[in-house]
Amino acid sequence: MGNIITMARDSLTSLVSRMGTDRDKAATTFYSHTYLTDEQLIAAYSTSWLPRKIVDIPALDACRKWRDWQAKKPQIEAIEEEEKRLNVKGKILEAAKKGRLFGGAAVYIGTGDANPAEPLQVDKITKGGLKYLNVMTRRQLSGGETERNPESDWYGKPKLYTLTGANGQQIAIHPSRLVLFTGAMPADDEITNNPWQGWGDSVLQSTLDAVKNADSTAGNIASLIFEAKIDIIRLPNFMASLGNEEYKRKILERYTLANTSKGINGTLLLDKEEEYESKSAQLAGLTDILMAFMQIVAGAADIPVTRLLGQSPAGMNSTGTSDMKNYHDRIQSMQELEFQPAMARLDEAIERSADVRDPDVHYRWSPLEQMSEKERAEIFKTTADAARTIVGSGTGQEIIPREAVSDALVNRLVEDGVLPGLDAAIETYGNLSEQEPSEEEIAAAAATQASNTNNVTRMQRAANDAAPRTLYVSRKVVNAADIIRWAKGQGFKTTLPADDLHVTIAYSRTPVDWMKIGEAWQSELKLAAGGPRLMEQFGEARVLLFKASELEWRHEAMESAGASWDHEEYQPHITISYDPESPDLADVEPYQGEIILGPELFAEVEEDWQAGVSEE
C-alpha cells in the first residue's frame, strides 16, 4: 500500500488558479508600518483640500455647538463668562485639529504656579485663579518616561512632559496640567517603535493613500480633458522626409496655416493625398470612477460623502439622513468618550475659577442637528400636553403635584428656548408655587373641605362635577381699531364694531364639561406681524385667515376633552364684514400687522347669534 500524505490547511487553496499558493499574486501583498514626517503632514494639510477637511471637519463639528451647562442661571452665566474670557472653545478646537494632524497636541492649564512639574491642585484654585490656556503640539511637547505603576492614574502615559523653548530651554510639565488630544490611537508603542513617545498617530496616517489615489485620479481626468479630441493627419513619405530641414519648416508653416484657416472658417484645407482623422476620448463614466475613489476617502476618514464634499445627496429617494445621523452619533461618541474625559480637570478648574462649587453642576453636549420651527412647535405642544395629562383636571388625584410639574415644565421650556425671555418673566412674576391662590380657588377649596373631601389641594375647584353644557370659546381682538382702519383703507364701507371683532376657538353644540377644558396658558396672546394671511368668504362673511399654532393647539385640546366642531378642520380667522357690497376679495391686500387677542371667554352656544349682528 502506498504512503498516504495528509495535508492540513487553514485557508482556501486552489492549485488550478494558484490561489493560496506561493505563486498567488495576492500573496505578495502585505502591510508595513511607515510614518509620515512632519514635513509631509504639513505639506498635505497645507496644499490639498481633502487632507485639510479630514483633519478639520470632525474637530469642528465636535466643537461648533459646544455644550449646555445644567445649573442655576447665575452659575451658568458665571461659567460661560469664564469660558469666554479664556476662549476655551477656540483653544479646544485648535488643539483638537492639531492633535488630529500631528497625532498629539495639548492645552496647557495656566494657573501662575511657580513649578509646573508638580501636579495641578484643582481644589486650591480660587475665583479668577485660572489665568490662561495655551495650545502646544507634540513638536514642542515631548513625553518622558512612561508610567508603569498600575496603581497610578497615569499608567501608560509619560510621567512628565518636556516643553522645549525657543532658546533650547526645557520645562517639565506634569500631565495633570494638560488637556491631551492624541489623534488616532497607536496600536502599541513598543511594537511599532512610535518615535513620538506618549502621543498617537496622525489621522492622515491611515487615510493618505486613499487621498492620494483620489487626487491622482482627479488630476488624470483633468489632463484627459485636454486630450479629449486629437486630430490625426497622414502624410505621404512623412518619416522619410524629416531629415530635410526645409521640409520640416514647410510642414510647420503648412499646418499652422491649416489650423488658422480651420479656426476662422471652420474648414481644414489639405492636399488631396493627405488623410485627416479626428479621434475623441470617451469621457463617459469618469465621474463615477472619481466618485468611487471619493467614497473610499470618505470611508477611510469616517465622514459622509455629503459632509466631506459639501453636496446634496444624489439618487432616487436619497436624503442622506441616515448617513448624517450615524455621523452625528459618531461625533457625539467623540465628545463623550474623548473630549469630556480629557477636559475633566479643565472643567473643574473653570468652575472654581468662576466661583461655582456646586457638585450638581454638569453639562450636556448640544445636539448637532437643528430643529425646524415646525419641529420645535410640535415638541412644545407635546410637552405642554404631557404636562396637562400628568396634572389632570385639578381634582386632587394627580400623580405629580401641579406645582412640581410647573417648575419642571418651566425648566424644560427655558432649556429648549421655545419661549424666549421666559426665565426673566418667571423672575418678575414668580412661578406657580410662589403665587397666592385666587379668591375663587380659596372658596372652592373651602367648599370641598366642608363636604369632608380629603387631600384638598391649592388648585382644587368646587365645580368639578358641573353639568355638561354647550360651549362657545372666543378671544376678542384687543387692537381692533388697527384692523378696522386697515379694512376701511381696503374699501370696506362697513365692518363689525370693534367690540365684536373676535377669534372663535370652540363652537360645540355637543354638551361638554367646561372644567375638563381647563385654562389657557396665556391670558393675552400676541401674534407677530406677517406670516401667512389670506382673505376668504365663509358663507356671507368676509374673513381674515391667519396662522396661529397656539389657537390650533387649544382647539385640539378642547376637542380631546369632548367638544364638537361642525367643520372638517379648524382655521383661525377674524370676521371683518357681512356687507354684500364689500370689495372683491381678490383686490384686498390682507392685513399684515400684529394681532393682539384678549383672554378666553367661555359662554354657551347661541343658535340665533346672527340676529344680533350689526355693522358700522
Side-chain angles (χ1 to χ4, degrees), residues 94-109:
E94 180 184 353
K97 286 183 178 180
K98 291 182 177 179
R100 289 175 58 81
L101 175 60
F102 292 110
V107 177
Y108 177 75
I109 304 174

Side-chain angles (χ1 to χ4, degrees), residues 27 152 156 171 245 385 554 601:
S152 173
I171 302 173
E245 293 295 329
D385 290 345
R554 186 68 172 137
L601 302 177

Side-chain angles (χ1 to χ4, degrees), residues 23 34 66 197 220 257 276 285-286 393 431 445 463 491 544 556 599:
R23 301 188 65 185
T34 59
W66 204 229
Q197 185 68 25
N220 289 333
L257 178 61
Y276 171 78
L286 292 180
S393 57
N431 57 27
L544 170 67
E556 291 178 7

Side-chain angles (χ1 to χ4, degrees), residues 9-79:
R9 295 181 180 272
D10 60 357
S11 62
L12 183 64
T13 303
S14 173
L15 298 177
V16 176
S17 65
R18 301 174 182 174
M19 182 174 62
T21 68
D22 57 0
R23 301 188 65 185
D24 186 355
K25 294 181 179 179
T28 62
T29 302
F30 61 92
Y31 294 99
S32 61
H33 199 97
T34 59
Y35 278 103
L36 297 174
T37 66
D38 287 350
E39 288 73 19
Q40 290 175 309
L41 293 173
I42 293 173
Y45 183 79
S46 301
T47 61
S48 180
W49 64 276
L50 272 176
R52 180 179 287 270
K53 280 200 165 188
I54 291 172
V55 169
D56 288 355
I57 286 178
L60 179 63
D61 287 341
C63 295
R64 62 185 172 91
K65 292 300 179 183
W66 204 229
R67 52 190 181 179
D68 298 320
W69 286 93
Q70 309 299 307
K72 298 177 181 178
K73 184 179 179 181
Q75 295 174 329
I76 295 176
E77 291 177 347
I79 294 174

